[in-house]
Amino acid sequence: MSNQVLTILRDAVDATCVLTDPDVMTGYVRDWTGRFVGRTAAVVRPANTAQVAAVVQACAQHEVALVPQGGNTGLAGGGVPTRGEILLSLRGLSDILQVDVAAGQATVGAGVPVGVLREAASAAGLGYGVDLASRDSATVGGTVATNAGGLRVLRYGDTRAQLLGVEAVLGDGSVVSHLAGLARDNTGYHLPSLLAGSEGTLGVVTAVRVRLTPATRARAVGLIGLASVPDAVAAASLLRNGLPGLAAAELMLPPGIDLVMRACRLSPPLRGTHAAYLLVEVTGDAPGEDGAGGNGPLDILADAVAGLPGVADASLADDRPGREALWAYRERHTESINTCGTPVKMDVTVTPDALPSFVEAVPAAVRAVAPEASTWLFGHVAEGNVHVNVTGAAGVGERVEDTVFRLVAERGGSISTEHGIGTAKRRWLPLNRSPAEIAAFRRIKQALDPAGILNPNVLLPAL
Ligand code: MLT
Ligand code: ZN
């Protein structure tokens, strides 16, 4: 990196937005898991869209690659400058620009944390459909870039499903902005859909217009112990088909529950140990609120659980502390796994009928290539989304990934559900995408980023 580029970056933004102190940069060049550690000559923190555009334009002119980054909570290495790229942090674009109650929408800067957007929606009597354990750090722009899903995809869909408009800086520094939030708008290509999940390779998202959801009046959470994984998968399907208010269905297994209890000093959630655990959340009216003396979510959930096959024990709660205590066994999986060492993280999807055989096959397949490793499986079972985390696989991480991704592909599944392809999975993209599709992806990339400077080392396989 020449001093000339640093000068150009300092000219493009305020010089104080260009950070070069190695101590300050450390927190930007290493991912949350510790698996991806990069390096950069500068972290640039623009304060507004015009500054982002100026940085991108300067980089395009001088053919300097950059990696956009939000809250640095990504899990696939897509926000880390692994090849010495300039790090473009969007955290400075942190304004809630509008909460439009009449339209049920909000416009926010890309650097707003998901939790802050959720609080702003809640203060207006509304909600935001995407929620995830990293809500306080993960930024809205980052969740657009990865098309994050999180805990309530079952009810509200993924991040792409929330998007009504985006503002983004394309690879030549031009700004595309379409934030009016019209509920119906078929005037050409839907750039929000294209940019969602593009992992900063096509444009740098600077602001988004999202739909908000009606506020939830009452909710109940249940943690259910079941006799087998097939029972848990069947229970999730029965609940999804039978309960219109089902908002979440999460699968956990005994090793993960035990680890969370040890790492977070929690007591057992249920009596005894069970082959599979299902955490479910049901939303609805408070009891009697519909004027007809109807049941609230707790009664609805209790009735539904009583009718499920394979249930050995269950704990239900509808008060906030009780709900949060049950959710902790699921939400704290990620941090607990990190206490066992740097994890190899995969997030894959298979169809419900393939899910039990996949869950059974993975630990043995991992052991065959990494005998010392531990495999942790959990995830968003209603979508068939399994998080496969492997610790103790130092030196054989890629063999582990190759093994698991092939099990997924054999079952017609997806190797990347909600964390993105990043740098971690790009070489396996052909397991899911044909040569013709990848060629089309490259042509889109060339059109929107002609200089090839936007996150050039993620998503598409190296040529
Ligand atoms: C989650 O759902 O908790 C994360 O996406 C999974 C992970 O940490 O692997
Ligand atoms: Zn997840």
Side-chain angles (χ1 to χ4, degrees), residues 75 133 151 330 334 345 378 380 387 389 418-419:
L75 298 170
L151 303 167
R330 167 62 184 86
T334 300
K345 288 183 101 64
F378 59 103
H380 316 293
H387 294 311
N389 283 213
E418 60 171 0
H419 298 165

Side-chain angles (χ1 to χ4, degrees), residues 40 57 100 392:
T40 187
Q57 193 177 29
D100 182 343

Side-chain angles (χ1 to χ4, degrees), residues 32 71-75 113-115 131-139 143 148 151 331 334:
W32 188 86
N72 197 13
T73 55
L75 298 170
V114 170
D131 191 20
L132 59 184
S134 56
R135 59 183 75 80
D136 295 331
S137 313
T139 61
T143 55
L151 303 167
E331 288 202 355
T334 300

Side-chain angles (χ1 to χ4, degrees), residues 203-226:
V204 180
V205 174
T206 51
V208 300
R209 179 82 172 179
V210 291
R211 69 179 86 252
L212 301 178
T213 63
T216 300
R217 297 149 99 89
R219 63 179 87 221
V221 173
L223 184 52
I224 308 166
L226 294 117

Side-chain angles (χ1 to χ4, degrees), residues 139-208:
T139 61
V140 174
T143 55
V144 171
T146 54
N147 188 26
L151 303 167
R152 294 189 181 79
V153 171
L154 165 62
R155 178 64 168 277
Y156 302 111
D158 54 20
T159 300
R160 181 179 281 127
Q162 320 307 317
L163 286 181
L164 292 160
V166 290
E167 177 187 85
V169 177
L170 304 182
D172 62 354
S174 59
V175 178
V176 289
S177 186
H178 201 74
L179 296 170
L182 298 173
R184 298 296 314 273
D185 183 6
N186 278 337
T187 51
Y189 303 127
H190 195 247
L191 290 179
S193 293
L194 183 59
L195 291 170
S198 67
E199 302 185 52
T201 60
L202 301 180
V204 180
V205 174
T206 51
V208 300

